[in-house]
Amino acid sequence: MSAPIEFDVTYVPESPVITVRATGLTDTALTVKVTDLDLQQVIFHPKTPLSDVLSGLVNDLAGKAPSIVKDKVTALTPDIPIGKPIGCDIPIGGATVHVRLSSPELAAHGDMLMISGDADVS
């Protein structure tokens, strides 16, 4: 029978924040670039006697985690699936009018993200 090594993990801040910048948009995905990660500290709290013995070493290693994770995450450019093209369906009488955004483009309006493009009505 092996002795368990268990830790509870906490982060500073408690909920790390990832900052992204929108860099591209298609009908199916929004592309973002990770510009910052606010993760200052990772702390391992021992839950068992054996983990208590190892906690010093584990927390010394954990001290390096924020910078390693930040280096790996910053500058990633993931695509976030949209699911379906941007648009809506408007019921009018007994028919439905489909409005879709064609050729979507990203822009800024003040400090907000703005998506514009041509409307395709069918």
Side-chain angles (χ1 to χ4, degrees):
M1 177 182 217
S2 61
I5 301 174
E6 296 180 27
F7 294 90
D8 282 327
V9 181
T10 58
Y11 306 97
V12 177
E14 185 175 322
S15 296
V17 175
I18 294 178
T19 305
V20 298
R21 173 176 289 132
T23 59
L25 179 66
T26 67
D27 288 345
T28 59
L30 172 67
T31 302
V32 298
K33 178 180 181 181
V34 178
T35 59
D36 192 25
L37 169 63
D38 182 13
L39 175 61
Q40 300 161 14
Q41 195 173 13
V42 178
I43 306 165
F44 286 80
H45 304 278
K47 291 177 63 176
T48 62
L50 186 54
S51 59
D52 192 39
V53 171
L54 297 172
S55 67
L57 174 64
V58 169
N59 278 305
D60 285 346
L61 293 172
K64 299 181 184 317
S67 62
I68 292 169
V69 171
K70 186 172 184 172
D71 288 347
K72 294 290 183 185
V73 170
T74 302
L76 289 177
T77 56
D79 286 338
I80 301 170
I82 294 175
K84 63 179 186 174
I86 298 171
C88 62
D89 295 327
I90 305 169
I92 300 177
T96 301
V97 176
H98 305 284
V99 181
R100 300 286 178 257
L101 183 64
S102 62
S103 307
E105 295 181 19
L106 293 175
H109 180 73
D111 61 351
M112 297 181 292
L113 175 66
M114 181 174 73
I115 300 171
S116 63
D118 297 326
D120 181 12
V121 180
S122 60

